[in-house]
Amino acid sequence: MIKVKQLAHVCIFANNLEATRSFYRDVLGLDTQFNFLRDGKIFGFYLNCGGSSHVEVFQKDGTAYSEQNQINHFALRLKTSTRRSPISDRKASMSRIRSTPATTRFRPGYAIPTV
Protein backbone atom coordinates (compact mmCIF):
# COMPACT_ATOMS: atom_id res chain seq x y z
CA MET A 1 0.00 0.00 0.00
CA ILE A 2 1.19 3.53 -0.78
CA LYS A 3 1.15 5.89 2.21
CA VAL A 4 1.13 9.64 1.84
CA LYS A 5 3.96 11.27 3.77
CA GLN A 6 2.84 14.92 3.45
CA LEU A 7 1.24 17.38 1.07
CA ALA A 8 3.65 18.24 -1.77
CA HIS A 9 1.73 21.14 -3.29
CA VAL A 10 -1.68 22.58 -4.03
CA CYS A 11 -2.32 24.33 -7.35
CA ILE A 12 -4.62 27.35 -7.47
CA PHE A 13 -5.55 29.79 -10.23
CA ALA A 14 -5.45 33.56 -9.81
CA ASN A 15 -6.89 36.43 -11.82
CA ASN A 16 -4.15 38.75 -10.53
CA LEU A 17 -0.80 37.06 -9.89
CA GLU A 18 0.90 39.95 -8.11
CA ALA A 19 -2.04 40.63 -5.78
CA THR A 20 -2.16 36.91 -4.96
CA ARG A 21 1.60 36.81 -4.36
CA SER A 22 1.27 39.88 -2.12
CA PHE A 23 -1.47 38.25 0.00
CA TYR A 24 0.46 35.03 0.59
CA ARG A 25 3.77 36.89 1.13
CA ASP A 26 2.64 39.88 3.21
CA VAL A 27 -0.15 38.26 5.22
CA LEU A 28 0.99 34.63 5.56
CA GLY A 29 4.75 35.09 5.15
CA LEU A 30 5.21 32.65 2.25
CA ASP A 31 8.24 33.31 0.05
CA THR A 32 8.33 32.70 -3.69
CA GLN A 33 10.58 29.73 -4.39
CA PHE A 34 10.60 30.27 -8.16
CA ASN A 35 8.58 31.76 -11.02
CA PHE A 36 7.22 29.98 -14.09
CA LEU A 37 8.22 31.92 -17.21
CA ARG A 38 6.93 31.79 -20.77
CA ASP A 39 8.48 34.09 -23.37
CA GLY A 40 10.09 36.06 -20.53
CA LYS A 41 6.77 36.71 -18.77
CA ILE A 42 5.73 35.30 -15.39
CA PHE A 43 2.63 33.11 -15.69
CA GLY A 44 2.87 31.40 -12.31
CA PHE A 45 4.99 30.79 -9.24
CA TYR A 46 5.71 28.38 -6.40
CA LEU A 47 5.26 29.58 -2.81
CA ASN A 48 7.32 27.82 -0.14
CA CYS A 49 5.22 26.63 2.81
CA GLY A 50 8.20 25.18 4.69
CA GLY A 51 9.79 21.82 4.25
CA SER A 52 8.79 20.46 0.87
CA SER A 53 5.19 21.77 0.80
CA HIS A 54 4.21 24.47 -1.70
CA VAL A 55 1.32 26.44 -3.12
CA GLU A 56 1.54 26.58 -6.91
CA VAL A 57 -0.23 29.60 -8.43
CA PHE A 58 -1.00 30.10 -12.12
CA GLN A 59 -2.52 33.04 -13.99
CA LYS A 60 -6.03 32.33 -15.25
CA ASP A 61 -7.98 35.32 -16.52
CA GLY A 62 -11.55 35.52 -15.30
CA THR A 63 -10.86 33.46 -12.18
CA ALA A 64 -13.23 34.34 -9.35
CA TYR A 65 -14.47 32.69 -6.18
CA SER A 66 -17.28 30.27 -6.97
CA GLU A 67 -19.01 27.38 -5.27
CA GLN A 68 -18.11 25.18 -8.26
CA ASN A 69 -14.89 24.04 -9.92
CA GLN A 70 -12.42 25.03 -7.23
CA ILE A 71 -10.39 23.70 -4.37
CA ASN A 72 -12.68 23.44 -1.36
CA HIS A 73 -9.85 24.31 1.00
CA PHE A 74 -6.31 23.56 1.96
CA ALA A 75 -4.76 23.84 5.38
CA LEU A 76 -1.49 25.47 6.38
CA ARG A 77 -0.09 24.67 9.81
CA LEU A 78 1.11 27.91 11.43
CA LYS A 79 4.12 28.24 13.66
CA THR A 80 3.37 29.30 17.22
CA SER A 81 5.31 31.88 19.13
CA THR A 82 7.38 30.73 22.07
CA ARG A 83 6.26 33.86 23.94
CA ARG A 84 2.51 33.35 23.63
CA SER A 85 0.11 30.47 23.90
CA PRO A 86 -1.00 28.64 20.73
CA ILE A 87 -4.56 29.97 21.25
CA SER A 88 -3.28 33.54 21.53
CA ASP A 89 -1.21 33.06 18.37
CA ARG A 90 -4.20 31.64 16.51
CA LYS A 91 -6.39 34.59 17.50
CA ALA A 92 -3.69 37.06 16.41
CA SER A 93 -3.28 35.23 13.08
CA MET A 94 -7.05 35.19 12.45
CA SER A 95 -7.27 38.89 13.27
CA ARG A 96 -4.44 39.68 10.82
CA ILE A 97 -6.09 37.68 8.03
CA ARG A 98 -9.53 39.23 8.68
CA SER A 99 -8.05 42.74 8.47
CA THR A 100 -6.66 42.13 4.98
CA PRO A 101 -8.80 43.75 2.25
CA ALA A 102 -8.14 40.82 -0.12
CA THR A 103 -9.98 38.41 2.18
CA THR A 104 -13.62 38.10 1.21
CA ARG A 105 -14.69 35.09 3.21
CA PHE A 106 -13.35 34.00 6.54
CA ARG A 107 -14.32 31.52 9.19
CA PRO A 108 -11.96 30.04 11.77
CA GLY A 109 -9.26 28.26 9.85
CA TYR A 110 -10.33 29.47 6.38
CA ALA A 111 -9.40 32.55 4.37
CA ILE A 112 -10.20 32.92 0.70
CA PRO A 113 -8.47 35.81 -1.08
CA THR A 114 -10.41 37.45 -3.90
CA VAL A 115 -7.37 37.89 -6.12
Side-chain angles (χ1 to χ4, degrees), residues 4-10 52-54 74-76:
V4 174
K5 183 177 180 179
Q6 71 180 59
L7 177 69
H9 73 267
V10 171
S52 60
S53 295
H54 299 85
F74 64 93
L76 302 173

Side-chain angles (χ1 to χ4, degrees), residues 74-91:
F74 64 93
L76 302 173
R77 185 173 303 274
L78 304 177
K79 289 184 179 180
T80 57
S81 168
T82 56
R83 295 173 289 174
R84 297 188 305 203
S85 73
I87 292 173
S88 175
D89 278 350
R90 183 171 177 230
K91 286 180 181 178

Side-chain angles (χ1 to χ4, degrees), residues 14-15 32 46 49 54 57-58 75 78 86 93 99 109-110 112 115:
N15 193 27
T32 300
Y46 241 47
C49 295
H54 299 85
V57 182
F58 287 105
L78 304 177
S93 296
S99 70
Y110 300 92
I112 300 169
V115 293

Side-chain angles (χ1 to χ4, degrees), residues 24-89:
Y24 284 100
R25 178 191 61 223
D26 300 342
V27 177
L28 298 178
L30 302 183
D31 293 323
T32 300
Q33 183 152 353
F34 59 85
N35 293 311
F36 291 97
L37 299 172
R38 182 180 298 135
D39 298 325
K41 183 178 176 185
I42 295 172
F43 71 94
F45 50 86
Y46 241 47
L47 296 167
N48 189 336
C49 295
S52 60
S53 295
H54 299 85
V55 176
E56 183 180 59
V57 182
F58 287 105
Q59 176 75 37
K60 186 172 183 183
D61 294 336
T63 300
Y65 176 75
S66 164
E67 292 295 328
Q68 300 176 356
N69 303 321
Q70 67 176 5
I71 295 170
N72 179 271
H73 77 276
F74 64 93
L76 302 173
R77 185 173 303 274
L78 304 177
K79 289 184 179 180
T80 57
S81 168
T82 56
R83 295 173 289 174
R84 297 188 305 203
S85 73
I87 292 173
S88 175
D89 278 350

